[in-house]
Amino acid sequence: MSMVQSYRHHQLKKGEHQHAGEDDMLSLMCAANSGYFKRSRPKLFSLLILSLLSCCLILGSHLFCSSSALSLLYSFGGESDELAANVKAKAFLCSSISNGTICCDRRSIRSDVCVMKGDVRTSSASSSVFLYTSKSTHAVIKNVSSLADKNEVLRHEKVKPYTRKWETSVMDTIDELDLIVKTEKNPNNHHCDVTHDVPAVFFSTGGYTGNVYHEFNDGLLPLFITSQHFKKKVVFVILEYHDWWIMKYGDILSHLSDYPAIDFSGDKRTHCFPEAIVGLRIHDELTVDPSLMHGNKTIVDFRNVLDLAYLPRVKSLLEESGAQEKLNQKAHSSSSDIRGEVHDATLKRPKLVILSRNGSRAITNEDLLVKMAEEIGFQVEVLRPERTTELARIYGALNSSEVMIGVHGAAMTHFLFMRPGSVFIQVIPLGTEWAADAYYGEPARKLGLKYIGYQILPRESSLYDKYDRNDPVLRDPQSVSDKGWQYTKSIYLDNQNVRINLRRFQKRLLRAYIYTIAKKNRRSHLQSQ
Ligand SMILES: *[C@@H]1O[C@H](CO)[C@@H](O)[C@H](O)[C@H]1NC(C)=O
Ligand SMILES: *[C@@H]1O[C@H](CO)[C@@H](O)[C@H](O)[C@H]1NC(C)=O
Ligand SMILES: *[C@@H]1O[C@H](CO)[C@@H](O)[C@H](O)[C@H]1NC(C)=O
Ligand SMILES: *[C@@H]1O[C@H](CO)[C@@H](O)[C@H](O)[C@H]1NC(C)=O
Ligand SMILES: *[C@@H]1O[C@H](CO)[C@@H](O)[C@H](O)[C@H]1NC(C)=O
């Protein structure tokens, strides 16, 4: 189900949407109820104004919008380059605010993020997070509050802490948090059950969580982007908390936070924090934009976190399989010498992993593909990730391989497990060209992989047997996709297999092989110097 949703963008005409990589004002917008999205330039000016409105600080030294934000409005000359530069300059909006203030950044089409600083307290019963303003600024507050609200609620913001803001259908399923700034009449009226001395980051693991693409794209990467600069001195407070998610990603979470995560609705205690960030920042598909990060962190830094996280488990898996191998060798002790040599030779071959699917978008001649790859000189492993497959196992397999091959689909998210400099060949079925590049091809390049998109020919598609050769389904997939999401889904995604033209594919594989060997030689040459 969720895979489906992520996919909808590629109803778009190819020319209409250059990739959003460089320009975070390019956006994904919901096209009413037609079930698909149009990527277009949003109204830049209204976005800008919106951002200015939402970044007004109510208290502290800045009673209103910070002057730099205002000057931005005036310096805006209509040049989109200039605007893009300004947006970057404001990447850290809300990152340094003073005590007793809230700041919401609602500029992004993908997510809203609010920051509260000072006396922050959770109230799960009312789905709220309160910020009580301190006594020292009481007088100022009084003045503002008399203008704003008799109830002494100085400011009220609502946030759904999930990164698919533009996608109304899924956002409707996400819990909303009320962020309320209040004056504190009597400090004894409220108390803390648990006092934390590090910031909290609030986010939801609802929505499409359950699909590996979404778990990385909408969850883990934004979590890294939003929290890594705290250097693990941060508490995660999770809405729509799932034990299985904590289990599945525990090894990654423990490299992002030193503290146990809190189940916001399950834990009724009042948690107090010196700061709260509600919502996650997100840059683009499966990537990290260093120009928007503290310390210029990149997607490679994210991958380094994965590497640290999976190292212990990958090691123990290796030991297990090593022990198994020894047993096998004992069983065949008579020929063990020869086998040992053969084994060594096999280990020296570059490894290629095929991420295999069955059901739809399977490679129907996978066996022949494996054979060909072995003949070229690869050591081949076929991996079929299931929902329950341990990620460390997949990480271990991909981190130790030079080439990954797979048919476009959520499992391609595992390209994140490949080492930069290795090769990723994505087989692109008919009608998936745009999504294949936007979701996986482009992000893979940004990670530093050598990316090869293998766009199949109509003859390589199982649809070739079902449709007339002149049918638009084969001849012009774009026109079919343009008719609506359900066409893409039912024709191209759910009912298409691939029979690879081995001769055609061989060229790519050879290219990957030569590249890999050249890289290895270069490395050993460097080492021998
Ligand atoms: C800000 O508020 C927190 C929590 O109330 C407090 O511990 C901290 O000392 C305050 N910082 C400043 C600079 O006032
Ligand atoms: C509050 O407002 C009154 C009059 O409106 C003013 O005299 C006073 O200085 C203000 N207090 C502060 C702390 O700004
Ligand atoms: C990040 O990159 C910018 C521009 O390339 C550079 O000026 C800055 O010093 C870098 N910061 C860090 C912490 O490396
Ligand atoms: C991944 O591969 C690199 C290079 O071979 C190695 O240093 C690292 O320990 C591996 N990571 C894991 C988790 O096995
Ligand atoms: C796909 O693989 C699973 C598990 O290996 C198997 O149970 C299922 O029957 C397969 N489906 C098809 C269509 O081959």
Side-chain angles (χ1 to χ4, degrees):
M1 153 219 103
S2 42
M3 172 64 223
V4 161
Q5 307 288 344
S6 73
Y7 224 99
R8 304 207 280 207
H9 313 299
H10 64 144
Q11 301 298 334
L12 309 169
K13 288 214 187 61
K14 214 180 148 204
E16 252 176 28
H17 43 258
Q18 280 87 21
H19 196 64
E22 310 309 317
D23 183 352
D24 52 21
M25 296 302 278
L26 265 181
S27 60
L28 303 156
M29 291 172 93
C30 181
N33 277 336
S34 62
Y36 66 91
F37 299 95
K38 268 215 155 57
R39 195 175 252 204
S40 64
R41 278 179 188 271
K43 305 208 167 35
L44 297 178
F45 222 95
S46 60
L47 251 185
L48 194 63
I49 303 228
L50 214 157
S51 76
L52 286 168
L53 291 180
S54 58
C55 77
C56 292
L57 308 178
I58 56 154
L59 289 168
S61 53
H62 306 322
L63 266 177
F64 300 102
C65 302
S66 71
S67 54
S68 64
L70 282 171
S71 71
L72 172 65
L73 181 61
Y74 295 116
S75 70
F76 174 57
E79 294 286 310
S80 67
D81 285 353
E82 195 179 324
L83 182 74
N86 279 329
V87 167
K88 296 240 152 139
K90 287 178 29 139
F92 301 107
L93 178 66
C94 297
S95 65
S96 56
I97 59 172
S98 43
N99 261 4
T101 63
I102 182 172
C103 172
C104 290
D105 181 352
R106 298 186 189 272
R107 296 168 303 163
S108 169
I109 211 78
R110 290 173 182 258
S111 72
D112 290 332
V113 179
C114 293
V115 181
M116 304 164 96
K117 218 167 205 172
D119 182 357
V120 175
R121 296 166 190 242
T122 61
S123 164
S124 89
S126 63
S127 294
S128 302
V129 182
F130 290 100
L131 171 63
Y132 292 98
T133 58
S134 65
K135 276 183 192 158
S136 59
T137 49
H138 199 69
V140 180
I141 297 149
K142 261 276 149 60
N143 274 9
V144 175
S145 69
S146 64
L147 291 171
D149 195 314
K150 294 244 154 54
N151 287 336
E152 301 197 316
V153 169
L154 302 178
R155 179 127 170 234
H156 185 174
E157 296 279 353
K158 289 173 179 288
V159 175
K160 290 186 170 189
Y162 191 60
T163 55
R164 301 188 77 82
K165 179 177 149 185
W166 78 93
E167 204 172 327
T168 2
S169 58
V170 71
M171 289 311 280
D172 287 346
T173 70
I174 301 293
D175 291 348
E176 187 166 64
L177 277 176
D178 289 294
L179 311 183
I180 297 167
V181 184
K182 275 184 135 172
T183 51
E184 180 184 60
K185 250 197 207 149
N186 182 352
N188 300 324
N189 280 352
H190 57 250
H191 70 286
C192 300
D193 294 317
V194 188
T195 304
H196 304 263
D197 57 7
V198 298
V201 170
F202 289 72
F203 62 97
S204 169
T205 52
Y208 296 140
T209 307
N211 166 295
V212 68
Y213 159 80
H214 289 290
E215 284 164 12
F216 278 88
N217 188 63
D218 305 334
L220 295 165
L221 269 161
L223 193 56
F224 171 79
I225 287 170
T226 311
S227 71
Q228 62 83 27
H229 63 286
F230 291 123
K231 300 191 168 30
K232 304 206 273 184
K233 303 298 171 205
V234 59
V235 174
F236 296 145
V237 182
I238 304 178
L239 284 79
E240 288 140 304
Y241 178 101
H242 303 290
D243 286 326
W244 68 260
W245 188 86
I246 297 287
M247 293 281 285
K248 183 171 181 183
Y249 293 111
D251 29 18
I252 298 178
L253 294 178
S254 67
H255 282 86
L256 294 175
S257 165
D258 280 337
Y259 304 87
I262 294 171
D263 171 1
F264 181 72
S265 51
D267 184 342
K268 302 294 181 200
R269 294 173 299 176
T270 300
H271 289 270
C272 299
F273 299 95
E275 180 177 352
I277 297 169
V278 183
L280 300 179
R281 296 186 187 276
I282 174 169
H283 295 160
D284 204 339
E285 297 298 326
L286 295 176
T287 200
V288 174
D289 181 345
S291 72
L292 303 175
M293 292 294 288
H294 297 272
N296 297 343
K297 289 287 193 292
T298 68
I299 184 67
V300 175
D301 293 296
F302 175 76
R303 195 187 175 280
N304 290 342
V305 170
L306 299 185
D307 204 78
L308 279 176
Y310 290 129
L311 189 59
R313 183 59 186 147
V314 168
K315 268 190 182 158
S316 74
L317 285 169
L318 274 179
E319 278 156 20
E320 278 170 32
S321 72
Q324 189 60 45
E325 213 144 89
K326 269 204 185 124
L327 278 179
N328 291 348
Q329 273 188 6
K330 270 223 175 100
H332 304 275
S333 56
S334 59
S335 56
S336 72
D337 286 352
I338 302 162
R339 295 178 69 86
E341 272 168 35
V342 171
H343 188 71
D344 282 351
T346 311
L347 278 184
K348 280 185 199 122
R349 295 166 156 215
K351 192 169 136 196
L352 177 151
V353 170
I354 298 177
L355 281 181
S356 170
R357 293 175 61 105
N358 70 354
S360 181
R361 281 174 281 150
I363 298 176
T364 52
N365 56 346
E366 195 174 89
D367 292 353
L368 294 175
L369 174 63
V370 170
K371 210 167 142 235
M372 184 174 80
E374 284 173 346
E375 280 166 8
I376 287 176
F378 286 108
Q379 174 206 345
V380 180
E381 179 175 350
V382 177
L383 210 64
R384 180 166 293 170
E386 315 255 332
R387 204 175 264 254
T388 50
T389 308
E390 208 185 330
L391 283 173
R393 195 176 282 279
I394 303 175
Y395 187 91
L398 291 174
N399 182 60
S400 60
S401 71
E402 303 295 336
V403 180
M404 160 178 151
I405 299 177
V407 180
H408 173 65
M412 295 303 98
T413 306
H414 296 115
F415 80 77
L416 289 169
F417 296 179
M418 297 291 289
R419 278 173 289 114
S422 54
V423 181
F424 166 29
I425 304 178
Q426 183 174 208
V427 176
I428 306 170
L430 298 183
T432 66
E433 195 173 350
W434 181 78
D437 194 63
Y439 296 138
Y440 307 111
E442 185 60 24
R445 286 183 206 106
K446 287 181 184 163
L447 176 61
L449 302 187
K450 184 174 171 59
Y451 172 71
I452 300 175
Y454 180 78
Q455 173 72 58
I456 70 164
L457 299 173
R459 272 174 192 276
E460 297 175 87
S461 170
S462 60
L463 300 175
Y464 193 77
D465 303 329
K466 284 200 218 162
Y467 292 87
D468 184 87
R469 231 180 295 172
N470 289 318
D471 195 292
V473 165
L474 299 179
R475 250 196 30 240
D476 188 8
Q478 188 60 59
S479 71
V480 178
S481 298
D482 285 347
K483 291 202 293 189
W485 158 246
Q486 62 277 21
Y487 290 87
T488 298
K489 177 171 158 51
S490 65
I491 297 173
Y492 295 120
L493 296 182
D494 293 348
N495 287 293
Q496 180 175 207
N497 285 327
V498 174
R499 184 174 182 82
I500 286 182
N501 176 335
L502 292 173
R503 189 173 297 183
R504 187 170 171 248
F505 196 79
Q506 191 181 40
K507 290 185 199 141
R508 274 74 170 185
L509 263 191
L510 277 172
R511 188 143 54 98
Y513 186 77
I514 291 165
Y515 169 83
T516 299
I517 296 297
K519 201 180 67 178
K520 281 200 167 183
N521 287 341
R522 213 164 43 239
R523 206 164 39 215
S524 58
H525 180 68
L526 281 177
Q527 274 165 3
S528 67
Q529 276 184 340

